[in-house]
Amino acid sequence: MRQIAALCLAAATALAALPAVAAELVMVEQKGCIYCERWDAEIAPGYPKTAEGRFAPLRRVDIGDVADDVALQRRVIFTPTFLLVEEDAELARIEGYPGAEFFWPLLDEMLREVTDYTGESS
């Protein structure tokens, strides 16, 4: 009986140590979007390896399908638009892709303002 209790305690401790995925970054894109392609070339390969990418994993949605997937604060007009989403509801957004030197600080600020993101690697 003690072994079962110890095993349950170890499992509960291990599960508690796992980060909860509460937020995700939804990239709204469309075919032929040159700024989407630029983001893909400059940011996409490394995004999952960053603190931001681990905190808010990326999900891609076509502009025509976004309203079906996310409860939006307002209509998405530009691509790419990056929606910070929690439980399929939009918390904040970045419209457009101004280049890597602007994207990272904008993303960091957005994450810090509306989530418990600290910028530390998990």
Side-chain angles (χ1 to χ4, degrees):
M1 193 62 143
R2 285 185 186 186
Q3 290 176 333
I4 293 173
L7 183 59
C8 288
L9 179 61
T13 302
L15 287 174
L18 292 174
V21 177
E24 63 182 337
L25 187 67
V26 174
M27 179 181 177
V28 181
E29 58 189 344
Q30 65 183 326
K31 188 174 181 172
C33 169
I34 60 170
Y35 293 102
C36 299
E37 293 170 9
R38 221 175 117 203
W39 189 90
D40 282 341
E42 296 174 4
I43 304 293
Y47 182 79
K49 301 171 192 167
T50 65
E52 295 89 346
R54 286 187 294 277
F55 184 84
L58 182 69
R59 176 168 50 118
R60 294 169 177 269
V61 177
D62 185 83
I63 194 167
D65 300 327
V66 68
D68 298 335
D69 288 0
V70 177
L72 300 170
Q73 292 179 358
R74 64 184 189 281
R75 191 170 72 126
V76 175
I77 299 170
F78 305 103
T79 58
T81 292
F82 300 91
L83 305 171
L84 185 60
V85 172
E86 194 170 75
E87 296 180 11
D88 293 324
E90 177 185 351
L91 301 176
R93 69 173 64 188
I94 299 170
E95 293 178 311
Y97 175 63
E101 63 277 4
F102 294 102
F103 176 79
W104 290 113
L106 289 171
L107 179 60
D108 183 78
E109 179 181 357
M110 179 173 70
L111 289 172
R112 289 176 190 273
E113 283 182 2
V114 297
T115 70
D116 60 355
Y117 176 74
T118 63
E120 296 177 18
S121 260
S122 26

